[in-house]
Amino acid sequence: MGIYSELTGAWEERGVIGTRIEIKRRKLTVLWRNSPVLCTGFKAKKAENGYELELAERGLRYKDSNSDYASVTRLFYAEGRLTFEELFPITGPSTTVLTATKFSRYGDYTVCDKVLKELQGRWKEEYGSFELVFRKDTLELFGKTIKVHALHSNYEHTPEREFLIVDADPSKYELYGMTRLIYDGDTLKSSMIICDAPPHNMVFTKER
């Protein structure tokens, strides 16, 4: 197996939602909290005890930003680990060690969008005025329309009929203030984040 085949796949820092690197052949994508900040070609060159990954571009930039927030100073592969070194203008150098992962950008979940067929229509909060509307693969809430996915955790003890409804953009971890929208086959449950107050727990039932 060649070095490019060995590198192909996804790499993350264990237990941290931060840097992720995805490699396919000689193309490399760096993500920060699942948002791409660098897409570039690279060459892997043999070095002492491993391989230096020489990137065609090194600037790290958020989407819609006009300038880089940091730069990649080194990316080194050895013994199943990627050592990712960055330089930040204010805080200075930073080093992160990444290992191969089977997780997708959504984490250890399987996309189960067939479940969205069960959600089509209007859902109302049992004891409040909030409502959710599903149309095909979109969710309408608070005057916004977003594309969504239904995920099922790969954890073996997860109930078979428990699904997490998430923004299709894996860099967005909330649904406009709502956290962990869970479908259990009958109801949708979530919590609303409220500043300086306990979360508001909500249960939605489908309008018949």
Side-chain angles (χ1 to χ4, degrees):
M1 181 172 64
I3 184 59
Y4 292 99
S5 295
E6 189 173 340
L7 289 168
T8 292
W11 302 78
E12 292 183 339
E13 183 180 7
R14 294 293 184 187
V16 175
I17 300 176
T19 299
R20 176 182 171 98
I21 293 178
E22 297 174 349
I23 298 175
K24 186 175 182 180
R25 301 185 182 90
R26 302 194 184 202
K27 295 292 184 181
L28 180 150
T29 301
V30 179
L31 303 101
W32 172 251
R33 293 184 63 82
N34 285 323
S35 181
V37 292
L38 173 63
C39 297
T40 185
F42 76 98
K43 293 180 180 179
K45 290 196 173 182
K46 190 75 173 74
E48 185 177 358
N49 300 322
Y51 289 85
E52 295 282 353
L53 276 57
E54 298 184 350
L55 309 186
E57 298 179 39
R58 294 180 174 272
L60 301 173
R61 181 176 300 192
Y62 299 120
K63 182 182 178 182
D64 300 327
S65 176
N66 294 321
S67 60
D68 298 339
Y69 68 84
S71 61
V72 182
T73 54
R74 190 187 190 204
L75 188 55
F76 181 76
Y77 175 71
E79 298 180 349
R81 293 179 174 83
L82 279 175
T83 300
F84 180 64
E85 298 181 6
E86 304 164 90
L87 181 62
F88 293 83
I90 297 176
T91 58
S94 174
T95 300
T96 305
V97 177
L98 312 175
T99 53
T101 179
K102 296 295 185 182
F103 292 2
S104 72
R105 294 186 187 183
Y106 299 103
D108 192 17
Y109 289 88
T110 298
V111 176
C112 301
D113 281 350
K114 289 183 179 180
V115 172
L116 295 178
K117 293 181 180 179
E118 302 176 21
L119 300 175
Q120 300 302 294
R122 191 177 304 273
W123 295 71
K124 289 195 172 183
E125 186 186 3
E126 288 185 321
Y127 305 107
S129 58
F130 294 116
E131 66 176 29
L132 311 174
V133 180
F134 287 87
R135 291 190 173 94
K136 295 183 179 180
D137 63 348
T138 65
L139 168 62
E140 297 176 14
L141 72 165
F142 312 135
K144 306 288 186 179
T145 300
I146 56 176
K147 186 174 180 179
V148 294
H149 284 310
L151 307 180
H152 187 268
S153 173
N154 294 325
Y155 179 58
E156 61 181 348
H157 297 300
T158 299
E160 183 179 353
R161 292 291 295 161
E162 181 178 289
F163 299 91
L164 184 63
I165 309 304
V166 300
D167 196 309
D169 181 347
S171 70
K172 296 179 179 178
Y173 297 92
E174 299 173 1
L175 296 170
Y176 292 102
M178 289 200 313
T179 62
R180 292 192 62 78
L181 181 59
I182 297 175
Y183 174 56
D184 63 8
D186 294 308
T187 63
L188 285 162
K189 298 177 182 178
S190 186
S191 295
M192 175 67 66
I193 300 172
I194 303 174
C195 293
D196 301 322
H200 172 56
N201 297 322
M202 299 178 291
V203 178
F204 296 87
T205 54
K206 193 172 185 180
E207 192 175 67
R208 303 299 178 184

